[in-house]
Amino acid sequence: AAVVLVDYPGFNLRLAKALRAAGTGAKLVDYISPQVWAWHRERLLHMAGYLDLMLCLFPFEQDIFEQAGLRTVWMGHPMVDQLEENRIEGGREEHLIGLFPGSREREVARLFPVMLRAAERLQAKHPEWHYEAAAASESLKELMESWIVAAELPRGAVVVRVGTSQDLMQRATSGVVASGTATMEAAYYGMPYCLVYKVAWPTWVMGKLLVEVDYIGMANIIADRQVVHEFVQREANAGNVAAFLESVMTEPGRRENLQRELLEVAAKLGEGGAAKIAAGAIMEVLGE
C-alpha cells in the first residue's frame, strides 16, 4: 500500500522514480527530506512528479518542497526525544570549556590539535579554566590523549571521556564544536559555542561550487543569519578559537545572548514526537 523510503537519497530517490515509472499504485513517502535546498535544487520538480509525501525535519524545508508542488509535512527532528531523555539536572560549571572535535579520525586529526593550541593560549591568562573533550570511541580517545601529552598544557588540564558529549554540552560554560550533528545538539542544550570546519582544499573548492547555502552550521541555516561563529578552513585556527572562547567566558552578557539565540533556533526542531507525527501523516495519505 505504501513504500516508505528512509534516508539515503542517492539510492532512494532513484528507487522511487523507478517504482513510479513501473506503474506502482503504492504511495511513495520519503522519510526524511534530502537537503536538495543546499545542492541539486533542480531535483525538486522531478521529486514532486513521483513522490506522494515528503516528511521533513525543519520548518523552512516544508515551504521549499511545497513550492515545488510536493505535499510535505513538517514532523520536527526525531533527535528531540532522545535529547530530552538525556537531559541532566544541575547548572553549568563556571570554568569548564567543552571540546567536540567530531567522530571521524580524519576530522579529529584536523581539528583537535587546533583546539589544544587554543587551550594553550588561554592557559597562561586563565589558569583556572579546564577542558573536557568528547571522544566518539575508545580508539579516538587514545589518539586524542596522545596529542594532549604532546601539548604544552598542565597535567590534567584536558580530560577526554567517551560517549558523554550530550552530558558535557549541558555542563560546559562554552565550547568549540566540529561541524555536524553535534552543532544542533549543542544548540538544543543552549551551550554557547563556535563551529570549526576543515577539509582538504580540493574538497573545499568542489564543495563551494556545488553548495548553494551561505552557512555551514545548521543553526545558522535555520536562523538564516549568523548566530554561531563559523571558523572555516584557514580561519579555523587557534587564535580565532581562543579569542572566541575568551570573549564568551569573560563576558556574561554576550554569553547569555548567544545562549538565548541558540535556544530560539532549537525551538524550530519541534516539540518531540516526530515519529508519531510522521506515522499519522502516512496513515492520512493511505486513507485517501
Side-chain angles (χ1 to χ4, degrees), residues 1-7 12-13 16 20 26-34 44 46-56 61-62 65-66 69-75 274-288:
V3 178
V4 181
L5 306 159
V6 182
D7 207 5
N12 276 329
L13 292 180
R20 187 63 73 210
K27 299 291 186 181
L28 302 183
V29 181
D30 196 1
Y31 173 104
I32 56 175
S33 54
L44 282 168
H46 298 295
M47 291 162 60
Y50 51 77
L51 291 173
D52 294 292
L53 175 66
M54 177 67 72
L55 297 164
C56 66
E61 292 178 313
Q62 183 172 12
F65 286 108
E66 286 186 340
L70 176 54
R71 180 175 181 174
T72 307
V73 170
W74 172 52
M75 61 183 180
K276 186 175 182 179
I277 294 170
I282 293 168
M283 293 304 294
E284 185 176 339
V285 167
L286 284 175
E288 295 169 358

Side-chain angles (χ1 to χ4, degrees), residues 51-52 56 58 68-69 75 78 89 101 103 113 129 151 169 191 223 236 238-240 243 271 279-280:
L51 291 173
D52 294 292
C56 66
F58 306 109
M75 61 183 180
E89 297 295 329
S103 59
W129 293 356
M169 288 170 181
M191 183 191 74
N240 285 339
E271 299 179 355

Side-chain angles (χ1 to χ4, degrees), residues 130-153:
H130 58 109
Y131 308 83
E132 186 174 322
S137 65
E138 287 292 340
S139 61
L140 280 177
K141 177 185 177 183
E142 293 176 8
L143 187 62
M144 291 160 67
E145 287 178 336
S146 70
W147 282 314
I148 293 171
V149 170
E152 297 178 9
L153 285 162

Side-chain angles (χ1 to χ4, degrees), residues 5-26:
L5 306 159
V6 182
D7 207 5
Y8 194 22
F11 173 79
N12 276 329
L13 292 180
R14 288 191 295 176
L15 174 59
K17 184 177 181 181
L19 287 170
R20 187 63 73 210
T24 181

